[in-house]
Amino acid sequence: MEEKKAHYLLVVKANQPGLHRRLRSLPWKEVTARHYDREVGHGRKETRGTRTLTVTGLGLDFPHAVQAVRVLRHRTDLKSGRYSRQNIYAITDLTSRQAAPQRLGQLVGSQWTIENRLYFIRDTTFGEDASKIRTGHGPENMATLRNLAINTLRQHAHRNIGAGLRHVSYDPFNRPLDLLNIP
């Protein structure tokens, strides 16, 4: 029986300065594997250029890394006309045969969707950015509890997290425990 292997795509952010710097310094101008996407929606016009580069011989020093990805996003706000440009870097163990630039660009984009969906709710519904918990493991622990609340409410068909929290708060000694199947 053939063993199935899970693959990864890691979006590398500026809070990983060493890896981010190494990815930024790769020879992106020489890359021929490219793909471009253009979209208009959500009040903006966006162009994304995805470039991929095989990194097995470039000493990237990341476990099983095969390709590096750079997505250059150009955005124009259709109301204000404000323009922004952003480079996003990622690494993956997928080969160029398994994932071409178009597919890797889609995967990076889906990663933003997931992150934005979760962080937006944590900030707007739970007021995470205004939290005064800033020492030790407090911020990570609170983020974990917020994620637990969001995911538990979603599992129980609450599409609106704020409304789900209000519903649960009407009977705070029973409803949260019921959601978690705790007698």
Side-chain angles (χ1 to χ4, degrees), residues 99-120:
Q102 177 181 5
R103 179 68 180 134
L104 290 172
Q106 291 168 344
L107 289 171
V108 170
S110 67
Q111 176 77 18
W112 294 324
T113 302
I114 292 166
E115 280 193 29
N116 289 341
R117 187 173 174 212
L118 182 63
Y119 292 129
F120 178 78

PDB file of all heavy atoms in Angstrom, residues 99-120:
ATOM      1  N   ALA A  99       2.835  21.432  -8.590  1.00  0.00           N
ATOM      2  CA  ALA A  99       2.164  22.730  -8.445  1.00  0.00           C
ATOM      3  C   ALA A  99       2.901  23.790  -9.253  1.00  0.00           C
ATOM      4  O   ALA A  99       4.011  24.190  -8.910  1.00  0.00           O
ATOM      5  CB  ALA A  99       2.100  23.139  -6.979  1.00  0.00           C
ATOM      6  N   ALA A 100       2.258  24.225 -10.320  1.00  0.00           N
ATOM      7  CA  ALA A 100       2.787  25.289 -11.169  1.00  0.00           C
ATOM      8  C   ALA A 100       2.534  26.649 -10.490  1.00  0.00           C
ATOM      9  O   ALA A 100       1.802  26.724  -9.502  1.00  0.00           O
ATOM     10  CB  ALA A 100       2.099  25.230 -12.531  1.00  0.00           C
ATOM     11  N   PRO A 101       3.096  27.733 -11.019  1.00  0.00           N
ATOM     12  CA  PRO A 101       2.884  29.055 -10.415  1.00  0.00           C
ATOM     13  C   PRO A 101       1.417  29.418 -10.211  1.00  0.00           C
ATOM     14  O   PRO A 101       1.061  29.997  -9.188  1.00  0.00           O
ATOM     15  CB  PRO A 101       3.559  30.004 -11.405  1.00  0.00           C
ATOM     16  CG  PRO A 101       4.616  29.187 -12.052  1.00  0.00           C
ATOM     17  CD  PRO A 101       4.044  27.796 -12.140  1.00  0.00           C
ATOM     18  N   GLN A 102       0.564  29.072 -11.156  1.00  0.00           N
ATOM     19  CA  GLN A 102      -0.861  29.390 -11.018  1.00  0.00           C
ATOM     20  C   GLN A 102      -1.443  28.733  -9.770  1.00  0.00           C
ATOM     21  O   GLN A 102      -2.129  29.368  -8.978  1.00  0.00           O
ATOM     22  CB  GLN A 102      -1.633  28.934 -12.258  1.00  0.00           C
ATOM     23  CG  GLN A 102      -3.128  29.184 -12.143  1.00  0.00           C
ATOM     24  CD  GLN A 102      -3.882  28.711 -13.380  1.00  0.00           C
ATOM     25  OE1 GLN A 102      -3.318  28.117 -14.281  1.00  0.00           O
ATOM     26  NE2 GLN A 102      -5.172  28.980 -13.407  1.00  0.00           N
ATOM     27  N   ARG A 103      -1.169  27.453  -9.574  1.00  0.00           N
ATOM     28  CA  ARG A 103      -1.695  26.727  -8.411  1.00  0.00           C
ATOM     29  C   ARG A 103      -1.121  27.275  -7.110  1.00  0.00           C
ATOM     30  O   ARG A 103      -1.836  27.426  -6.122  1.00  0.00           O
ATOM     31  CB  ARG A 103      -1.388  25.229  -8.553  1.00  0.00           C
ATOM     32  CG  ARG A 103      -1.874  24.404  -7.388  1.00  0.00           C
ATOM     33  CD  ARG A 103      -3.396  24.362  -7.347  1.00  0.00           C
ATOM     34  NE  ARG A 103      -3.831  23.564  -6.230  1.00  0.00           N
ATOM     35  CZ  ARG A 103      -4.793  23.927  -5.392  1.00  0.00           C
ATOM     36  NH1 ARG A 103      -5.447  25.044  -5.568  1.00  0.00           N
ATOM     37  NH2 ARG A 103      -5.123  23.164  -4.394  1.00  0.00           N
ATOM     38  N   LEU A 104       0.163  27.566  -7.089  1.00  0.00           N
ATOM     39  CA  LEU A 104       0.771  28.096  -5.864  1.00  0.00           C
ATOM     40  C   LEU A 104       0.219  29.479  -5.531  1.00  0.00           C
ATOM     41  O   LEU A 104       0.006  29.799  -4.362  1.00  0.00           O
ATOM     42  CB  LEU A 104       2.290  28.120  -5.998  1.00  0.00           C
ATOM     43  CG  LEU A 104       2.934  26.731  -6.003  1.00  0.00           C
ATOM     44  CD1 LEU A 104       4.409  26.824  -6.331  1.00  0.00           C
ATOM     45  CD2 LEU A 104       2.707  26.014  -4.691  1.00  0.00           C
ATOM     46  N   GLY A 105      -0.051  30.292  -6.540  1.00  0.00           N
ATOM     47  CA  GLY A 105      -0.681  31.594  -6.303  1.00  0.00           C
ATOM     48  C   GLY A 105      -2.058  31.436  -5.681  1.00  0.00           C
ATOM     49  O   GLY A 105      -2.442  32.177  -4.777  1.00  0.00           O
ATOM     50  N   GLN A 106      -2.814  30.438  -6.166  1.00  0.00           N
ATOM     51  CA  GLN A 106      -4.145  30.162  -5.590  1.00  0.00           C
ATOM     52  C   GLN A 106      -4.024  29.701  -4.140  1.00  0.00           C
ATOM     53  O   GLN A 106      -4.804  30.117  -3.280  1.00  0.00           O
ATOM     54  CB  GLN A 106      -4.864  29.090  -6.412  1.00  0.00           C
ATOM     55  CG  GLN A 106      -5.278  29.534  -7.783  1.00  0.00           C
ATOM     56  CD  GLN A 106      -5.728  28.356  -8.657  1.00  0.00           C
ATOM     57  OE1 GLN A 106      -5.460  27.191  -8.359  1.00  0.00           O
ATOM     58  NE2 GLN A 106      -6.410  28.675  -9.752  1.00  0.00           N
ATOM     59  N   LEU A 107      -3.045  28.846  -3.855  1.00  0.00           N
ATOM     60  CA  LEU A 107      -2.859  28.355  -2.490  1.00  0.00           C
ATOM     61  C   LEU A 107      -2.475  29.485  -1.536  1.00  0.00           C
ATOM     62  O   LEU A 107      -2.980  29.554  -0.414  1.00  0.00           O
ATOM     63  CB  LEU A 107      -1.799  27.251  -2.466  1.00  0.00           C
ATOM     64  CG  LEU A 107      -2.205  25.929  -3.097  1.00  0.00           C
ATOM     65  CD1 LEU A 107      -1.008  24.985  -3.207  1.00  0.00           C
ATOM     66  CD2 LEU A 107      -3.324  25.278  -2.309  1.00  0.00           C
ATOM     67  N   VAL A 108      -1.591  30.373  -1.978  1.00  0.00           N
ATOM     68  CA  VAL A 108      -1.214  31.518  -1.149  1.00  0.00           C
ATOM     69  C   VAL A 108      -2.438  32.394  -0.903  1.00  0.00           C
ATOM     70  O   VAL A 108      -2.689  32.850   0.214  1.00  0.00           O
ATOM     71  CB  VAL A 108      -0.063  32.323  -1.784  1.00  0.00           C
ATOM     72  CG1 VAL A 108       0.153  33.635  -1.063  1.00  0.00           C
ATOM     73  CG2 VAL A 108       1.222  31.507  -1.778  1.00  0.00           C
ATOM     74  N   GLY A 109      -3.239  32.623  -1.943  1.00  0.00           N
ATOM     75  CA  GLY A 109      -4.453  33.428  -1.800  1.00  0.00           C
ATOM     76  C   GLY A 109      -5.447  32.807  -0.838  1.00  0.00           C
ATOM     77  O   GLY A 109      -6.083  33.506  -0.042  1.00  0.00           O
ATOM     78  N   SER A 110      -5.593  31.485  -0.874  1.00  0.00           N
ATOM     79  CA  SER A 110      -6.528  30.833   0.050  1.00  0.00           C
ATOM     80  C   SER A 110      -6.021  30.939   1.479  1.00  0.00           C
ATOM     81  O   SER A 110      -6.803  31.034   2.420  1.00  0.00           O
ATOM     82  CB  SER A 110      -6.756  29.377  -0.344  1.00  0.00           C
ATOM     83  OG  SER A 110      -5.584  28.621  -0.179  1.00  0.00           O
ATOM     84  N   GLN A 111      -4.719  30.960   1.664  1.00  0.00           N
ATOM     85  CA  GLN A 111      -4.140  31.146   2.996  1.00  0.00           C
ATOM     86  C   GLN A 111      -4.541  32.515   3.552  1.00  0.00           C
ATOM     87  O   GLN A 111      -4.898  32.644   4.711  1.00  0.00           O
ATOM     88  CB  GLN A 111      -2.615  31.024   2.913  1.00  0.00           C
ATOM     89  CG  GLN A 111      -1.896  31.294   4.203  1.00  0.00           C
ATOM     90  CD  GLN A 111      -1.967  30.146   5.169  1.00  0.00           C
ATOM     91  OE1 GLN A 111      -2.259  29.026   4.785  1.00  0.00           O
ATOM     92  NE2 GLN A 111      -1.717  30.408   6.420  1.00  0.00           N
ATOM     93  N   TRP A 112      -4.503  33.573   2.707  1.00  0.00           N
ATOM     94  CA  TRP A 112      -4.913  34.914   3.154  1.00  0.00           C
ATOM     95  C   TRP A 112      -6.379  34.907   3.553  1.00  0.00           C
ATOM     96  O   TRP A 112      -6.762  35.509   4.541  1.00  0.00           O
ATOM     97  CB  TRP A 112      -4.735  35.942   2.052  1.00  0.00           C
ATOM     98  CG  TRP A 112      -3.342  36.208   1.629  1.00  0.00           C
ATOM     99  CD1 TRP A 112      -2.228  36.241   2.411  1.00  0.00           C
ATOM    100  CD2 TRP A 112      -2.910  36.487   0.305  1.00  0.00           C
ATOM    101  NE1 TRP A 112      -1.130  36.510   1.650  1.00  0.00           N
ATOM    102  CE2 TRP A 112      -1.516  36.671   0.354  1.00  0.00           C
ATOM    103  CE3 TRP A 112      -3.562  36.588  -0.919  1.00  0.00           C
ATOM    104  CZ2 TRP A 112      -0.767  36.973  -0.767  1.00  0.00           C
ATOM    105  CZ3 TRP A 112      -2.814  36.888  -2.030  1.00  0.00           C
ATOM    106  CH2 TRP A 112      -1.434  37.078  -1.954  1.00  0.00           C
ATOM    107  N   THR A 113      -7.206  34.226   2.772  1.00  0.00           N
ATOM    108  CA  THR A 113      -8.640  34.185   3.064  1.00  0.00           C
ATOM    109  C   THR A 113      -8.894  33.582   4.434  1.00  0.00           C
ATOM    110  O   THR A 113      -9.661  34.116   5.227  1.00  0.00           O
ATOM    111  CB  THR A 113      -9.380  33.365   1.989  1.00  0.00           C
ATOM    112  OG1 THR A 113      -9.130  33.953   0.714  1.00  0.00           O
ATOM    113  CG2 THR A 113     -10.871  33.320   2.244  1.00  0.00           C
ATOM    114  N   ILE A 114      -8.229  32.478   4.728  1.00  0.00           N
ATOM    115  CA  ILE A 114      -8.404  31.820   6.018  1.00  0.00           C
ATOM    116  C   ILE A 114      -7.925  32.738   7.142  1.00  0.00           C
ATOM    117  O   ILE A 114      -8.620  32.948   8.132  1.00  0.00           O
ATOM    118  CB  ILE A 114      -7.651  30.473   6.047  1.00  0.00           C
ATOM    119  CG1 ILE A 114      -8.301  29.489   5.088  1.00  0.00           C
ATOM    120  CG2 ILE A 114      -7.590  29.913   7.465  1.00  0.00           C
ATOM    121  CD1 ILE A 114      -7.465  28.273   4.784  1.00  0.00           C
ATOM    122  N   GLU A 115      -6.728  33.289   6.977  1.00  0.00           N
ATOM    123  CA  GLU A 115      -6.190  34.170   8.014  1.00  0.00           C
ATOM    124  C   GLU A 115      -7.069  35.398   8.208  1.00  0.00           C
ATOM    125  O   GLU A 115      -7.380  35.770   9.334  1.00  0.00           O
ATOM    126  CB  GLU A 115      -4.770  34.614   7.652  1.00  0.00           C
ATOM    127  CG  GLU A 115      -3.739  33.576   7.960  1.00  0.00           C
ATOM    128  CD  GLU A 115      -2.345  34.134   7.897  1.00  0.00           C
ATOM    129  OE1 GLU A 115      -2.158  35.337   8.159  1.00  0.00           O
ATOM    130  OE2 GLU A 115      -1.434  33.352   7.599  1.00  0.00           O
ATOM    131  N   ASN A 116      -7.452  36.028   7.121  1.00  0.00           N
ATOM    132  CA  ASN A 116      -8.270  37.235   7.236  1.00  0.00           C
ATOM    133  C   ASN A 116      -9.602  36.939   7.907  1.00  0.00           C
ATOM    134  O   ASN A 116     -10.075  37.712   8.732  1.00  0.00           O
ATOM    135  CB  ASN A 116      -8.506  37.868   5.865  1.00  0.00           C
ATOM    136  CG  ASN A 116      -7.248  38.494   5.320  1.00  0.00           C
ATOM    137  OD1 ASN A 116      -6.310  38.774   6.048  1.00  0.00           O
ATOM    138  ND2 ASN A 116      -7.221  38.704   4.020  1.00  0.00           N
ATOM    139  N   ARG A 117     -10.207  35.824   7.555  1.00  0.00           N
ATOM    140  CA  ARG A 117     -11.499  35.456   8.132  1.00  0.00           C
ATOM    141  C   ARG A 117     -11.390  35.279   9.644  1.00  0.00           C
ATOM    142  O   ARG A 117     -12.215  35.763  10.399  1.00  0.00           O
ATOM    143  CB  ARG A 117     -11.980  34.168   7.472  1.00  0.00           C
ATOM    144  CG  ARG A 117     -13.363  33.782   7.853  1.00  0.00           C
ATOM    145  CD  ARG A 117     -13.806  32.589   7.019  1.00  0.00           C
ATOM    146  NE  ARG A 117     -15.092  32.123   7.500  1.00  0.00           N
ATOM    147  CZ  ARG A 117     -15.476  30.887   7.469  1.00  0.00           C
ATOM    148  NH1 ARG A 117     -14.690  29.981   6.948  1.00  0.00           N
ATOM    149  NH2 ARG A 117     -16.653  30.545   7.930  1.00  0.00           N
ATOM    150  N   LEU A 118     -10.336  34.600  10.089  1.00  0.00           N
ATOM    151  CA  LEU A 118     -10.159  34.356  11.511  1.00  0.00           C
ATOM    152  C   LEU A 118      -9.738  35.622  12.257  1.00  0.00           C
ATOM    153  O   LEU A 118     -10.318  35.981  13.276  1.00  0.00           O
ATOM    154  CB  LEU A 118      -9.125  33.251  11.728  1.00  0.00           C
ATOM    155  CG  LEU A 118      -8.875  32.845  13.172  1.00  0.00           C
ATOM    156  CD1 LEU A 118     -10.148  32.272  13.782  1.00  0.00           C
ATOM    157  CD2 LEU A 118      -7.759  31.835  13.239  1.00  0.00           C
ATOM    158  N   TYR A 119      -8.730  36.340  11.758  1.00  0.00           N
ATOM    159  CA  TYR A 119      -8.231  37.521  12.461  1.00  0.00           C
ATOM    160  C   TYR A 119      -9.255  38.644  12.474  1.00  0.00           C
ATOM    161  O   TYR A 119      -9.353  39.382  13.448  1.00  0.00           O
ATOM    162  CB  TYR A 119      -6.909  38.004  11.859  1.00  0.00           C
ATOM    163  CG  TYR A 119      -5.784  37.041  12.088  1.00  0.00           C
ATOM    164  CD1 TYR A 119      -4.991  36.610  11.040  1.00  0.00           C
ATOM    165  CD2 TYR A 119      -5.524  36.529  13.353  1.00  0.00           C
ATOM    166  CE1 TYR A 119      -3.963  35.710  11.241  1.00  0.00           C
ATOM    167  CE2 TYR A 119      -4.502  35.624  13.559  1.00  0.00           C
ATOM    168  CZ  TYR A 119      -3.722  35.226  12.515  1.00  0.00           C
ATOM    169  OH  TYR A 119      -2.711  34.330  12.719  1.00  0.00           O
ATOM    170  N   PHE A 120     -10.013  38.776  11.411  1.00  0.00           N
ATOM    171  CA  PHE A 120     -11.040  39.810  11.368  1.00  0.00           C
ATOM    172  C   PHE A 120     -12.071  39.571  12.468  1.00  0.00           C
ATOM    173  O   PHE A 120     -12.445  40.494  13.194  1.00  0.00           O
ATOM    174  CB  PHE A 120     -11.708  39.831   9.988  1.00  0.00           C
ATOM    175  CG  PHE A 120     -12.808  40.847   9.876  1.00  0.00           C
ATOM    176  CD1 PHE A 120     -12.505  42.181   9.689  1.00  0.00           C
ATOM    177  CD2 PHE A 120     -14.132  40.469   9.980  1.00  0.00           C
ATOM    178  CE1 PHE A 120     -13.510  43.135   9.601  1.00  0.00           C
ATOM    179  CE2 PHE A 120     -15.149  41.403   9.887  1.00  0.00           C
ATOM    180  CZ  PHE A 120     -14.828  42.739   9.699  1.00  0.00           C
TER     181      PHE A 120
END
